[in-house]
Amino acid sequence: ETGVTQSPTHLIKTRGQQVTLRCSSQSGHNTVSWYQQALGQGPQFIFQYYREEENGRGNFPPRFSGLQFPNYSSELNVNALELDDSALYLCASSIGQGGQYFGAGTRLSVL
Amino acid sequence: GIQVEQSPPDLILQEGANSTLRCNFSDSVNNLQWFHQNPWGQLINLFYIPSGTKQNGRLSATTVATERYSLLYISSSQTTDSGVYFCALRGDSNYQLIWGAGTKLIIKP
């Protein structure tokens, strides 16, 4: 186990809805990165948070947003869900830009 | 941007066999990791290895940064080694991990 927990494990939403995914980082880790992984592909970087500030962002639209809290846990919010948002969403925690440790992921299905 | 290539894309082996997975990259890196993703989607951090050699049980990894490649060795394969192995790295001018396409490993009993 990595010590990184994600909730919920599975989620079903309909197109146009909004979703919030949660991640608790490993103890002592101050950086959280979020990834989207479509079936059969490698993870795609969404964004990273360091000490409650967005530290970098991949090629995702603004309807993907996030937060990091003082205890370094994090949320990923997706508005106006589209069918293509169906994927495994992975959270990874690290100490700065060091090795990343992943949670088990949230599998999102958009119908 | 930095390019990452993994080979082979697929590998099928009998239990007990040894294997070598390769990751080539196009620029200097300050962070390179090997991950194993099991059939349930969990990504396990195997090695943090921007340079040098590390070993952990039946697994070992070597990164030759000057020649821009990394190798993951799996010895005496077990069926639980099945899954997808990813190489992910960060270049000197990047803040995000760049991922290879992965090597899908199937170990048959």
Side-chain angles (χ1 to χ4, degrees):
Chain A
E1 272 197 32
T2 63
V4 180
T5 58
Q6 291 188 244
S7 62
T9 54
H10 294 84
L11 201 52
I12 299 175
K13 292 285 189 178
T14 55
R15 198 169 44 179
Q17 286 189 309
Q18 177 266 341
V19 69
T20 297
L21 310 182
R22 294 179 175 83
C23 173
S24 294
S25 58
Q26 185 169 320
S27 178
H29 286 191
N30 56 15
T31 303
V32 173
S33 303
W34 285 94
Y35 295 85
Q36 180 195 68
Q37 187 177 23
L39 203 60
Q41 298 182 20
Q44 298 293 313
F45 176 74
I46 303 174
F47 44 55
Q48 182 181 85
Y49 279 83
Y50 172 68
R51 293 186 176 180
E52 303 178 59
E53 297 287 332
E54 187 178 290
N55 192 38
R57 189 178 184 93
N59 190 25
F60 280 80
R63 59 189 186 83
F64 286 78
S65 63
L67 283 173
Q68 188 180 31
F69 299 100
N71 66 355
Y72 302 131
S73 65
S74 178
E75 287 183 355
L76 164 65
N77 299 291
V78 187
N79 293 323
L81 283 166
E82 301 177 358
L83 298 180
D84 285 350
D85 296 333
S86 296
L88 179 66
Y89 288 84
L90 295 160
C91 160
S93 76
S94 59
I95 300 174
Q97 302 305 326
Q100 295 191 358
Y101 294 82
F102 282 80
T106 294
R107 197 166 295 276
L108 173 65
S109 298
V110 182
L111 306 178
Chain B
I2 196 167
Q3 304 297 314
V4 185
E5 288 186 3
Q6 289 188 244
S7 60
D10 299 279
L11 191 55
I12 301 174
L13 298 171
Q14 290 295 133
E15 201 168 23
N18 300 329
S19 59
T20 301
L21 282 57
R22 188 176 181 102
C23 173
N24 290 335
F25 44 94
S26 61
D27 206 344
S28 59
V29 297
N30 57 35
N31 180 334
L32 188 147
Q33 295 182 251
W34 282 97
F35 294 93
H36 172 218
Q37 189 166 39
N38 65 25
W40 296 271
Q42 174 74 58
L43 271 166
I44 305 298
N45 187 329
L46 299 176
F47 293 103
Y48 173 80
I49 188 165
S51 64
T53 297
K54 291 186 178 180
Q55 180 156 6
N56 183 4
R58 297 182 295 104
L59 274 61
S60 64
T62 295
T63 297
V64 183
T66 53
E67 297 186 22
R68 297 184 182 165
Y69 72 87
S70 184
L71 301 174
L72 177 68
Y73 305 96
I74 304 173
S75 64
S76 305
S77 297
Q78 300 175 359
T79 55
T80 51
D81 294 333
S82 296
V84 182
Y85 289 80
F86 288 103
C87 162
L89 48 88
R90 181 182 295 114
D92 289 337
S93 59
N94 296 122
Y95 50 79
Q96 61 173 287
L97 282 180
I98 308 299
W99 294 70
T103 291
K104 184 174 182 180
L105 177 64
I106 296 174
I107 304 298
K108 294 188 170 182

